[in-house]
């Protein structure tokens, strides 16, 4: 069966012409097995590779639920 969209948690593998699972089970949308674009709620996207429950030290979650680095490198925690 040919599909135009693989659906949540999967991506199109053009080489095998099939839908494959994202590497992270909490990833809702990925471009390949290792690159996540959007995580399932309430997870946050960290460095386009993993979905985390909270952003690590020196990072804060933005309005797109992505972990972004704090502006001040000396800061352990920051606010959006």
């Amino acid at each position: 069966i040919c599909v135009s969209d693989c659906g949540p948690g999967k991506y199109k593998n053009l080489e095998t012409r099939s839908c494959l699972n994202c590497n992270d089970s909490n990833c809702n949308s990925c471009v390949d097995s290792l690159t996540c674009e959007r995580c399932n709620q309430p997870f946050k996207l960290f460095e386009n590779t993993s979905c985390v429950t909270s952003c690590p030290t020196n990072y804060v979650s933005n309005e797109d639920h992505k972990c972004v680095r704090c502006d001040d490198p000396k800061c352990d925690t920051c606010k959006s």
Side-chain angles (χ1 to χ4, degrees), residues 6-63:
C6 289
K10 297 184 181 295
Y11 69 97
K12 283 187 225 178
N13 182 310
L14 300 177
E15 202 171 289
T16 62
R17 298 175 57 115
S18 61
C19 293
L20 299 175
N21 292 329
C22 301
N23 190 44
D24 188 320
S25 62
N26 294 309
C27 181
N28 183 276
S29 174
C30 57
V31 293
D32 57 38
S33 65
L34 300 175
T35 308
C36 185
E37 293 181 310
R38 187 175 60 250
C39 297
N40 295 320
Q41 294 299 319
F43 295 94
K44 286 110 174 90
L45 182 61
F46 179 63
E47 296 186 344
N48 290 348
T49 58
S50 59
C51 298
V52 295
T53 53
S54 60
C55 296
T57 301
N58 295 333
Y59 287 82
V60 65
S61 178
N62 66 11
E63 61 277 352

